[in-house]
Amino acid sequence: MNTSYQYLLLACCLCPCTLAAQSTSNMMPQNKQNKDTARQTDLIDVAKKLFHISPQKPRNQEGKRIYFSILPFGGTLPGGTGRALITSTTAGIYLGPRRTTYISTASFAPYWNFKGRFGLPLRTSIWLPDNTWTIQGDTRFMVYPQYTWGLGNIKGDYENRVLVNYKYIRFYQSALKRIKPYLFAGLGYHLDYRFNIASDNPVIDLTAFTKYNYGLNRRSFSSGISGNLLYDTRNNAINPLPGAYANLVYRINPTFLGSNNNWQSVYLDLRKYVSLNKARPRQQNMIAFWSYLWTAFGNTPYLDLPSTGWDPYNRSARGIDQNRYRGKSLLYLESEYRRDITNNGLFGFVVFANANTVSGAGKFGAAWHPAAGAGLRVKFNKGSNTNIGIDYGFSKGYSNIMLNLGEAF
């Protein structure tokens, strides 16, 4: 049996053990996120005190349906293309009763690095009343020059890399219906279109450098449908409370839908959030676990292959350069400790560690690539439980600072 299939089988076997602890007694799961926001403080409260703004009535977070968090900041983009101007906007809204409906979210984070690289990514997670349906979307237009190192567990010089220039259009949409409490199933459509693919050095042939024959000839088009299973008890994807998450996506990309080549992929994502402070639920003291297995088979285009930092929300492999490790299969593990510093929840911190292994050059699972780091959390909006995250991550020969609205996972 192929090694990647063995890991997939193992993960599928572990999935029920991880998730079985959740109750399934009610077809409309009760929202566990009934935190007393009146005792919390966020940056909105701080700004009101600083500028002596006295509202006529206290902020009513429990009755409010929609929450906005907007943050312009400068940062460093992954892929080694320098500093950038980034604006991050996150919106959360309840489309049904809060006790039986998860918060729907939309995030828009355009960026520009003053060197020709920019992106317009929009991600949405919609939960219809009583969680009867969920609709997940990911739409992007990007001009995205990025370094690549080839396939496998590369042990060579970090500078032995090539900058690949390309433009990228992504359109993903999936609709899933609830079939049991917390369990959803449905179909999706996925489009990845990359064009004007070329090395920044005309002397270098990308196919020869990567030793891979698909998807590097100026244009790569993948169009496919997917079958999706989702199990989610987190209530709030912006800042998950104790609970569990599992997502299985099987995608097929046939040529009759426009794909350049026939290929398939499987993405299995497992997460668990464990509270260490049940006696004081208003204060965060939690350990979170994340693992995913991503594997592709067939004539998969090079830029569609599993790669570090290219999970659906581009949040994995903190402390490792995006795209650093790429192969037909990727196994990723991460854990993070989250803790409030102040009793009012305004400040907190995280400590994290992760590791990955890929197939390609060398045996899958024989070499692991670890990273670690820590971060500061500042409560931006207590209504949606949105934090500003400032993380520092490092690995052998590389380190970076990451700024985000919301948690990494």
Side-chain angles (χ1 to χ4, degrees):
M1 182 181 292
N2 184 279
T3 307
S4 61
Y5 287 103
Q6 292 176 343
Y7 279 103
L8 179 61
L9 180 61
L10 174 62
C12 289
C13 292
L14 291 175
C15 182
C17 300
T18 305
L19 306 176
Q22 301 295 331
S23 170
T24 59
S25 60
N26 192 332
M27 283 299 293
M28 293 190 298
Q30 298 295 303
N31 195 331
K32 302 184 290 296
Q33 193 190 348
N34 293 322
K35 297 181 72 174
D36 184 4
T37 57
R39 300 191 183 187
Q40 292 195 340
T41 299
D42 58 19
L43 287 184
I44 299 174
D45 297 324
V46 172
K48 287 180 177 180
K49 291 181 181 179
L50 182 63
F51 295 103
H52 305 289
I53 299 174
S54 300
Q56 294 182 352
K57 60 181 181 179
R59 293 169 64 192
N60 183 3
Q61 297 290 345
E62 291 300 319
K64 192 175 181 181
R65 285 292 184 94
I66 187 167
Y67 309 91
F68 280 100
S69 302
I70 303 174
L71 183 67
F73 55 83
T76 301
L77 287 173
T81 55
R83 296 189 62 79
L85 177 63
I86 307 169
T87 301
S88 183
T89 303
T90 299
I93 183 171
Y94 287 97
L95 298 178
R98 290 181 61 141
R99 291 188 60 81
T100 59
T101 308
Y102 293 169
I103 188 170
S104 298
T105 60
S107 62
F108 180 57
Y111 56 83
W112 177 43
N113 78 333
F114 309 102
K115 295 182 180 180
R117 178 174 176 177
F118 72 92
L120 301 171
L122 173 65
R123 300 181 181 95
T124 55
S125 177
I126 307 302
W127 294 89
L128 297 186
D130 300 324
N131 291 349
T132 52
W133 285 84
T134 180
I135 302 170
Q136 308 290 322
D138 185 353
T139 303
R140 311 183 195 184
F141 175 72
M142 304 161 68
V143 176
Y144 211 71
Q146 186 178 50
Y147 287 114
T148 189
W149 288 260
L151 297 178
N153 297 295
I154 305 154
K155 298 179 181 179
D157 185 2
Y158 181 80
E159 298 301 325
N160 184 25
R161 57 189 181 177
V162 172
L163 188 67
V164 182
N165 294 300
Y166 62 91
K167 296 179 175 65
Y168 179 34
I169 296 173
R170 169 184 285 192
F171 180 76
Y172 293 0
Q173 290 290 328
S174 300
L176 291 83
K177 181 176 174 55
R178 189 186 67 218
I179 56 177
K180 287 185 177 181
Y182 312 111
L183 181 63
F184 303 80
L187 300 175
Y189 175 73
H190 306 261
L191 182 148
D192 295 281
Y193 179 38
R194 296 176 174 89
F195 54 100
N196 294 345
I197 303 170
S199 167
D200 67 324
N201 186 342
V203 176
I204 296 177
D205 179 79
L206 290 175
T207 301
F209 177 82
T210 61
K211 299 180 178 62
Y212 194 78
N213 295 323
Y214 303 101
L216 291 172
N217 296 320
R218 299 294 297 175
R219 177 182 175 274
S220 172
F221 191 86
S222 295
S223 173
I225 57 175
S226 65
N228 301 263
L229 282 176
L230 173 68
Y231 182 89
D232 195 352
T233 69
R234 298 173 304 165
N235 304 121
N236 184 348
I238 300 173
N239 188 355
L241 294 172
Y245 172 91
N247 188 28
L248 176 63
V249 181
Y250 173 60
R251 174 179 170 179
I252 59 173
N253 304 271
T255 54
F256 67 79
L257 286 180
S259 299
N260 296 135
N261 305 290
N262 289 308
W263 63 278
Q264 304 169 54
S265 68
V266 174
Y267 181 81
L268 176 62
D269 188 321
L270 302 174
R271 309 181 191 187
K272 181 69 175 177
Y273 306 85
V274 181
S275 174
L276 303 178
N277 198 18
K278 296 181 180 180
R280 305 180 69 182
R282 294 188 185 94
Q283 288 187 338
Q284 180 160 270
N285 183 13
M286 176 193 300
I287 187 166
F289 302 95
W290 181 19
S291 66
Y292 66 79
L293 175 66
W294 184 8
T295 187
F297 18 92
N299 299 328
T300 310
Y302 181 80
L303 295 172
D304 286 320
L305 289 172
S307 177
T308 51
W310 274 103
D311 59 281
Y313 280 83
N314 302 119
R315 295 294 185 91
S316 65
R318 285 178 290 174
I320 296 175
D321 207 351
Q322 189 183 50
N323 222 41
R324 180 68 174 91
Y325 301 103
R326 179 182 294 272
K328 284 216 165 183
S329 294
L330 186 155
L331 179 62
Y332 180 79
L333 305 171
E334 180 167 1
S335 61
E336 180 175 87
Y337 177 62
R338 304 172 182 174
R339 180 67 183 264
D340 282 344
I341 297 174
T342 58
N343 291 332
N344 60 10
L346 180 61
F347 293 105
F349 73 92
V350 302
V351 179
F352 60 87
N354 62 69
N356 70 84
T357 184
V358 297
S359 65
K363 186 178 179 181
F364 183 54
W368 288 83
H369 316 289
L376 176 68
R377 296 293 180 266
V378 182
K379 187 71 68 183
F380 192 86
N381 189 319
K382 64 187 181 183
S384 59
N385 207 18
T386 300
N387 290 329
I388 298 172
I390 307 171
D391 292 339
Y392 172 76
F394 62 92
S395 59
K396 184 177 181 181
Y398 180 80
S399 65
N400 67 335
I401 296 175
M402 298 144 284
L403 299 97
N404 287 299
L405 276 176
E407 298 303 318
F409 65 96

